[in-house]
Amino acid sequence: MKNIAIDGPAGAGKSTIAKLAAKELGFIYVDTGSMYRAMALACIRQGVKPEEEEKVTKVCQSVQVSIEYKDGQQIVLLNGENVNPYIRTEEVGKMTSAIAVYQGVREKLLELQRDLAKKADVIMDGRDIGTCVLPDADVKIFMTASSVTRARRRYTELKEKGIECNIEDIEKDIIERDERDSNRKIAPLRQAEDAIVIDSSNMSVEESVAAVIKLVKGA
Ligand code: CDP
């Protein structure tokens, strides 16, 4: 099986690019952020606060997170319910990075992610894929972009969905989230030593996809 790991900060373009590259290569795209988001949604629904580690862990350990694919799209199931329509909001994003620091939360998903990579050729994106989930991945990519670019992309994405938002607030949220993801003790966002950096600030989607495909084909 071929395993490709893509890590990087929020809004760097990982999911858009990984999805297109996977389609072209005939690989399965695994979006690990969505799995963490599903668990954050479960916590929000149960009224648990992010700082309540024990309660958060209990909720996450008790729910069932799984994924399936429909027309090539990844669907995240929370206790069997398709939660894709609810997990891409800023509220869920903030909650996600707050609970993703806990060991019990991460353990829950680690095995599921490794299993997926054992069974199929995958492009998996997240924060700790090259460093922790798939340390033996065939290709490791660290995808990044300036915080202004990343905020602009997230702003456009939310606007397209009809969600009212303010670009300064989004940039602030993104910087805060990156800091928390990078400074946590367990599985922080970090460039693996053997990762190749793609800075997508001044690259089109097509150029970034081509860069990923070239790396995979060359591996
Ligand atoms: O799409 P975006 O980059 O904004 O976020 P995402 O990939 O959906 O991830 C949301 C949050 O989940 C991140 O800010 C991390 O805190 C957490 N996450 C993680 O800890 N480990 C992963 N492998 C993926 C996401």
Side-chain angles (χ1 to χ4, degrees), residues 6 24 26 34 47 50 64 81 84 89 99 120-121 123-124 131-132 162 181-182 189 194 216 219:
I6 304 188
E24 201 160 324
S34 292
Q64 209 201 348
E81 173 197 358
N84 275 26
T89 65
I99 67 158
D121 291 329
I123 298 191
M124 191 177 282
T131 51
C132 177
D181 289 347
S182 307
L189 165 65
D194 47 352
V216 177

PDB file of all heavy atoms in Angstrom, residues 6 24 26 34 47 50 64 81 84 89 99 120-121 123-124 131-132 162 181-182 189 194 216 219:
ATOM      1  N   ILE A   6       0.003  14.288   4.489  1.00  0.00           N
ATOM      2  CA  ILE A   6       0.067  15.740   4.291  1.00  0.00           C
ATOM      3  C   ILE A   6      -0.328  16.427   5.597  1.00  0.00           C
ATOM      4  O   ILE A   6      -1.437  16.245   6.089  1.00  0.00           O
ATOM      5  CB  ILE A   6      -0.866  16.235   3.158  1.00  0.00           C
ATOM      6  CG1 ILE A   6      -0.560  15.498   1.847  1.00  0.00           C
ATOM      7  CG2 ILE A   6      -0.722  17.753   2.965  1.00  0.00           C
ATOM      8  CD1 ILE A   6      -1.297  16.046   0.626  1.00  0.00           C
ATOM      9  N   GLU A  24      -6.957  11.925  -8.902  1.00  0.00           N
ATOM     10  CA  GLU A  24      -6.135  11.709 -10.087  1.00  0.00           C
ATOM     11  C   GLU A  24      -5.272  10.445  -9.952  1.00  0.00           C
ATOM     12  O   GLU A  24      -5.041   9.726 -10.917  1.00  0.00           O
ATOM     13  CB  GLU A  24      -5.257  12.941 -10.307  1.00  0.00           C
ATOM     14  CG  GLU A  24      -4.782  13.034 -11.739  1.00  0.00           C
ATOM     15  CD  GLU A  24      -4.346  14.447 -12.097  1.00  0.00           C
ATOM     16  OE1 GLU A  24      -4.959  15.432 -11.630  1.00  0.00           O
ATOM     17  OE2 GLU A  24      -3.368  14.550 -12.870  1.00  0.00           O
ATOM     18  N   GLY A  26      -6.038   7.821  -8.043  1.00  0.00           N
ATOM     19  CA  GLY A  26      -6.844   6.644  -7.708  1.00  0.00           C
ATOM     20  C   GLY A  26      -6.623   6.192  -6.268  1.00  0.00           C
ATOM     21  O   GLY A  26      -6.793   5.024  -5.933  1.00  0.00           O
ATOM     22  N   SER A  34     -11.798  15.930   9.928  1.00  0.00           N
ATOM     23  CA  SER A  34     -13.245  15.716  10.041  1.00  0.00           C
ATOM     24  C   SER A  34     -13.587  14.753  11.166  1.00  0.00           C
ATOM     25  O   SER A  34     -14.629  14.874  11.803  1.00  0.00           O
ATOM     26  CB  SER A  34     -13.813  15.145   8.742  1.00  0.00           C
ATOM     27  OG  SER A  34     -13.729  16.107   7.749  1.00  0.00           O
ATOM     28  N   GLY A  47     -23.116  19.501  25.591  1.00  0.00           N
ATOM     29  CA  GLY A  47     -22.925  20.632  26.496  1.00  0.00           C
ATOM     30  C   GLY A  47     -21.676  20.554  27.354  1.00  0.00           C
ATOM     31  O   GLY A  47     -21.606  21.170  28.413  1.00  0.00           O
ATOM     32  N   PRO A  50     -14.779  22.663  26.740  1.00  0.00           N
ATOM     33  CA  PRO A  50     -13.493  22.117  26.279  1.00  0.00           C
ATOM     34  C   PRO A  50     -12.486  21.873  27.398  1.00  0.00           C
ATOM     35  O   PRO A  50     -11.661  20.972  27.308  1.00  0.00           O
ATOM     36  CB  PRO A  50     -12.978  23.168  25.296  1.00  0.00           C
ATOM     37  CG  PRO A  50     -13.812  24.379  25.498  1.00  0.00           C
ATOM     38  CD  PRO A  50     -15.115  23.922  26.062  1.00  0.00           C
ATOM     39  N   GLN A  64     -19.281   6.627  18.556  1.00  0.00           N
ATOM     40  CA  GLN A  64     -18.693   5.832  17.496  1.00  0.00           C
ATOM     41  C   GLN A  64     -18.436   6.728  16.291  1.00  0.00           C
ATOM     42  O   GLN A  64     -19.355   7.376  15.791  1.00  0.00           O
ATOM     43  CB  GLN A  64     -19.665   4.715  17.120  1.00  0.00           C
ATOM     44  CG  GLN A  64     -18.950   3.504  16.602  1.00  0.00           C
ATOM     45  CD  GLN A  64     -19.861   2.630  15.778  1.00  0.00           C
ATOM     46  OE1 GLN A  64     -21.084   2.808  15.759  1.00  0.00           O
ATOM     47  NE2 GLN A  64     -19.282   1.696  15.076  1.00  0.00           N
ATOM     48  N   GLU A  81     -24.776   8.640  12.210  1.00  0.00           N
ATOM     49  CA  GLU A  81     -25.396   9.806  11.557  1.00  0.00           C
ATOM     50  C   GLU A  81     -24.367  10.551  10.696  1.00  0.00           C
ATOM     51  O   GLU A  81     -23.259  10.823  11.160  1.00  0.00           O
ATOM     52  CB  GLU A  81     -25.937  10.758  12.643  1.00  0.00           C
ATOM     53  CG  GLU A  81     -26.451  12.083  12.099  1.00  0.00           C
ATOM     54  CD  GLU A  81     -26.588  13.169  13.196  1.00  0.00           C
ATOM     55  OE1 GLU A  81     -26.321  12.887  14.371  1.00  0.00           O
ATOM     56  OE2 GLU A  81     -26.946  14.309  12.821  1.00  0.00           O
ATOM     57  N   ASN A  84     -21.448  15.422   8.191  1.00  0.00           N
ATOM     58  CA  ASN A  84     -20.736  16.341   7.280  1.00  0.00           C
ATOM     59  C   ASN A  84     -21.330  17.756   7.249  1.00  0.00           C
ATOM     60  O   ASN A  84     -20.585  18.721   7.227  1.00  0.00           O
ATOM     61  CB  ASN A  84     -20.720  15.783   5.853  1.00  0.00           C
ATOM     62  CG  ASN A  84     -19.578  14.808   5.641  1.00  0.00           C
ATOM     63  OD1 ASN A  84     -19.124  14.190   6.589  1.00  0.00           O
ATOM     64  ND2 ASN A  84     -19.124  14.661   4.407  1.00  0.00           N
ATOM     65  N   THR A  89     -17.947  24.388  10.628  1.00  0.00           N
ATOM     66  CA  THR A  89     -18.138  25.757  11.111  1.00  0.00           C
ATOM     67  C   THR A  89     -16.938  26.185  11.959  1.00  0.00           C
ATOM     68  O   THR A  89     -16.167  25.345  12.436  1.00  0.00           O
ATOM     69  CB  THR A  89     -19.403  25.846  11.989  1.00  0.00           C
ATOM     70  OG1 THR A  89     -19.189  25.057  13.157  1.00  0.00           O
ATOM     71  CG2 THR A  89     -20.631  25.331  11.258  1.00  0.00           C
ATOM     72  N   ILE A  99     -10.094  20.268  22.052  1.00  0.00           N
ATOM     73  CA  ILE A  99     -10.169  18.904  22.609  1.00  0.00           C
ATOM     74  C   ILE A  99      -9.120  17.961  22.011  1.00  0.00           C
ATOM     75  O   ILE A  99      -8.837  16.905  22.555  1.00  0.00           O
ATOM     76  CB  ILE A  99     -11.581  18.281  22.457  1.00  0.00           C
ATOM     77  CG1 ILE A  99     -11.922  18.036  20.986  1.00  0.00           C
ATOM     78  CG2 ILE A  99     -12.650  19.126  23.141  1.00  0.00           C
ATOM     79  CD1 ILE A  99     -12.989  16.983  20.783  1.00  0.00           C
ATOM     80  N   ALA A 120      -5.607   0.425   2.133  1.00  0.00           N
ATOM     81  CA  ALA A 120      -5.733   1.071   0.822  1.00  0.00           C
ATOM     82  C   ALA A 120      -4.601   2.058   0.579  1.00  0.00           C
ATOM     83  O   ALA A 120      -3.913   2.471   1.527  1.00  0.00           O
ATOM     84  CB  ALA A 120      -7.080   1.799   0.762  1.00  0.00           C
ATOM     85  N   ASP A 121      -4.417   2.439  -0.686  1.00  0.00           N
ATOM     86  CA  ASP A 121      -3.505   3.536  -1.001  1.00  0.00           C
ATOM     87  C   ASP A 121      -4.207   4.807  -0.535  1.00  0.00           C
ATOM     88  O   ASP A 121      -5.329   5.081  -0.977  1.00  0.00           O
ATOM     89  CB  ASP A 121      -3.289   3.636  -2.515  1.00  0.00           C
ATOM     90  CG  ASP A 121      -2.498   2.445  -3.057  1.00  0.00           C
ATOM     91  OD1 ASP A 121      -1.656   1.905  -2.319  1.00  0.00           O
ATOM     92  OD2 ASP A 121      -2.730   2.068  -4.224  1.00  0.00           O
ATOM     93  N   ILE A 123      -4.120   9.104   0.669  1.00  0.00           N
ATOM     94  CA  ILE A 123      -3.521  10.402   0.973  1.00  0.00           C
ATOM     95  C   ILE A 123      -4.256  10.853   2.218  1.00  0.00           C
ATOM     96  O   ILE A 123      -5.481  11.009   2.194  1.00  0.00           O
ATOM     97  CB  ILE A 123      -3.726  11.435  -0.162  1.00  0.00           C
ATOM     98  CG1 ILE A 123      -3.045  10.965  -1.444  1.00  0.00           C
ATOM     99  CG2 ILE A 123      -3.190  12.804   0.283  1.00  0.00           C
ATOM    100  CD1 ILE A 123      -2.972  12.019  -2.535  1.00  0.00           C
ATOM    101  N   MET A 124      -3.524  10.966   3.315  1.00  0.00           N
ATOM    102  CA  MET A 124      -4.160  11.307   4.580  1.00  0.00           C
ATOM    103  C   MET A 124      -3.685  12.683   5.004  1.00  0.00           C
ATOM    104  O   MET A 124      -2.496  12.943   5.011  1.00  0.00           O
ATOM    105  CB  MET A 124      -3.770  10.258   5.618  1.00  0.00           C
ATOM    106  CG  MET A 124      -4.563  10.333   6.894  1.00  0.00           C
ATOM    107  SD  MET A 124      -4.115   9.004   8.048  1.00  0.00           S
ATOM    108  CE  MET A 124      -4.958   7.595   7.377  1.00  0.00           C
ATOM    109  N   THR A 131       4.346  12.608  11.374  1.00  0.00           N
ATOM    110  CA  THR A 131       5.156  12.488  12.589  1.00  0.00           C
ATOM    111  C   THR A 131       4.701  11.358  13.498  1.00  0.00           C
ATOM    112  O   THR A 131       5.500  10.786  14.219  1.00  0.00           O
ATOM    113  CB  THR A 131       5.094  13.796  13.407  1.00  0.00           C
ATOM    114  OG1 THR A 131       3.720  14.148  13.579  1.00  0.00           O
ATOM    115  CG2 THR A 131       5.844  14.926  12.733  1.00  0.00           C
ATOM    116  N   CYS A 132       3.398  11.032  13.457  1.00  0.00           N
ATOM    117  CA  CYS A 132       2.870  10.148  14.490  1.00  0.00           C
ATOM    118  C   CYS A 132       1.990   9.014  13.944  1.00  0.00           C
ATOM    119  O   CYS A 132       2.203   7.849  14.253  1.00  0.00           O
ATOM    120  CB  CYS A 132       2.088  11.053  15.443  1.00  0.00           C
ATOM    121  SG  CYS A 132       1.286  10.211  16.746  1.00  0.00           S
ATOM    122  N   GLY A 162     -22.493  30.893   2.468  1.00  0.00           N
ATOM    123  CA  GLY A 162     -23.501  31.830   2.943  1.00  0.00           C
ATOM    124  C   GLY A 162     -23.358  32.173   4.417  1.00  0.00           C
ATOM    125  O   GLY A 162     -24.280  32.684   5.038  1.00  0.00           O
ATOM    126  N   ASP A 181      -2.326  24.090  18.294  1.00  0.00           N
ATOM    127  CA  ASP A 181      -1.975  22.818  17.645  1.00  0.00           C
ATOM    128  C   ASP A 181      -0.458  22.566  17.686  1.00  0.00           C
ATOM    129  O   ASP A 181      -0.010  21.433  17.802  1.00  0.00           O
ATOM    130  CB  ASP A 181      -2.449  22.809  16.182  1.00  0.00           C
ATOM    131  CG  ASP A 181      -3.964  22.706  16.061  1.00  0.00           C
ATOM    132  OD1 ASP A 181      -4.629  22.405  17.071  1.00  0.00           O
ATOM    133  OD2 ASP A 181      -4.486  22.926  14.950  1.00  0.00           O
ATOM    134  N   SER A 182       0.324  23.647  17.561  1.00  0.00           N
ATOM    135  CA  SER A 182       1.785  23.488  17.497  1.00  0.00           C
ATOM    136  C   SER A 182       2.407  23.310  18.875  1.00  0.00           C
ATOM    137  O   SER A 182       3.489  22.733  18.996  1.00  0.00           O
ATOM    138  CB  SER A 182       2.436  24.710  16.841  1.00  0.00           C
ATOM    139  OG  SER A 182       1.839  24.958  15.607  1.00  0.00           O
ATOM    140  N   LEU A 189       1.409  19.810  15.917  1.00  0.00           N
ATOM    141  CA  LEU A 189       1.613  20.101  14.498  1.00  0.00           C
ATOM    142  C   LEU A 189       3.090  20.442  14.317  1.00  0.00           C
ATOM    143  O   LEU A 189       3.585  21.415  14.897  1.00  0.00           O
ATOM    144  CB  LEU A 189       0.755  21.305  14.090  1.00  0.00           C
ATOM    145  CG  LEU A 189       1.104  21.957  12.751  1.00  0.00           C
ATOM    146  CD1 LEU A 189       0.850  21.001  11.593  1.00  0.00           C
ATOM    147  CD2 LEU A 189       0.281  23.220  12.542  1.00  0.00           C
ATOM    148  N   ASP A 194      11.663  14.297   7.548  1.00  0.00           N
ATOM    149  CA  ASP A 194      11.764  13.874   6.152  1.00  0.00           C
ATOM    150  C   ASP A 194      10.610  14.380   5.292  1.00  0.00           C
ATOM    151  O   ASP A 194      10.328  13.833   4.233  1.00  0.00           O
ATOM    152  CB  ASP A 194      11.869  12.345   6.068  1.00  0.00           C
ATOM    153  CG  ASP A 194      10.835  11.633   6.935  1.00  0.00           C
ATOM    154  OD1 ASP A 194      10.138  12.320   7.717  1.00  0.00           O
ATOM    155  OD2 ASP A 194      10.718  10.404   6.823  1.00  0.00           O
ATOM    156  N   VAL A 216       4.536  12.070  -5.485  1.00  0.00           N
ATOM    157  CA  VAL A 216       4.047  10.696  -5.293  1.00  0.00           C
ATOM    158  C   VAL A 216       4.592   9.793  -6.395  1.00  0.00           C
ATOM    159  O   VAL A 216       5.049   8.683  -6.128  1.00  0.00           O
ATOM    160  CB  VAL A 216       2.499  10.667  -5.285  1.00  0.00           C
ATOM    161  CG1 VAL A 216       1.987   9.235  -5.169  1.00  0.00           C
ATOM    162  CG2 VAL A 216       1.946  11.520  -4.138  1.00  0.00           C
ATOM    163  N   ALA A 219       8.174   8.768  -5.965  1.00  0.00           N
ATOM    164  CA  ALA A 219       8.545   8.012  -4.743  1.00  0.00           C
ATOM    165  C   ALA A 219       8.699   6.518  -5.005  1.00  0.00           C
ATOM    166  O   ALA A 219       8.077   5.986  -5.894  1.00  0.00           O
ATOM    167  CB  ALA A 219       7.507   8.229  -3.666  1.00  0.00           C
TER     168      ALA A 219
END
